[in-house]
Amino acid sequence: MSGGHLVRPAGAVELVAPTAGWASAATGYRRGMAVGEDDHAVHTGFMINELDAGGEIPWHVHSFEESCYVVAGTAVIDTAEGSFRLSEGAYGVVPIAMPHRW
């Protein structure tokens, strides 16, 4: 990082399966931090996530909004308000403290 800007190619983010916490119960799931505290970001976290066909991320909540953009394929997100299918090019937001799963 220099001059207040961070630029890195998407391929530089290593995606790994979580091994601790609630996300360790996921199947077919990998993630990597693209922007976060290690980059001196105080209020911004940006993760790249990958979920295999048939993979699942268990029910969980966050103390922040979760936004998503589907680059390829489709995904289903379950919330208390229902299940929503997101297709390639879709964008969504899960409000603070809303239980959800993928």
Side-chain angles (χ1 to χ4, degrees):
M1 184 161 145
S2 63
H5 294 86
L6 172 67
V7 178
R8 76 169 49 107
V13 177
E14 181 183 6
L15 303 180
V16 296
T19 58
W22 64 267
S24 64
T27 58
Y29 174 54
R30 291 163 301 286
R31 65 185 181 188
M33 186 62 73
V35 176
E37 291 177 359
D38 290 347
D39 304 304
H40 309 285
V42 177
H43 301 290
T44 301
F46 181 79
M47 294 186 80
I48 307 290
N49 298 275
E50 188 172 70
L51 185 62
D52 294 338
E56 295 181 341
I57 301 172
W59 286 101
H60 61 284
V61 297
H62 302 290
S63 60
F64 50 85
E65 296 91 359
E66 177 179 329
S67 63
C68 62
Y69 177 76
V70 179
V71 174
T74 62
V76 174
I77 185 166
D78 296 320
T79 73
E81 296 178 355
S83 297
F84 304 91
R85 179 175 301 279
L86 301 170
S87 299
E88 187 172 318
Y91 177 79
V93 175
V94 178
I96 294 171
M98 176 176 276
H100 61 287
R101 70 177 176 182
W102 289 91

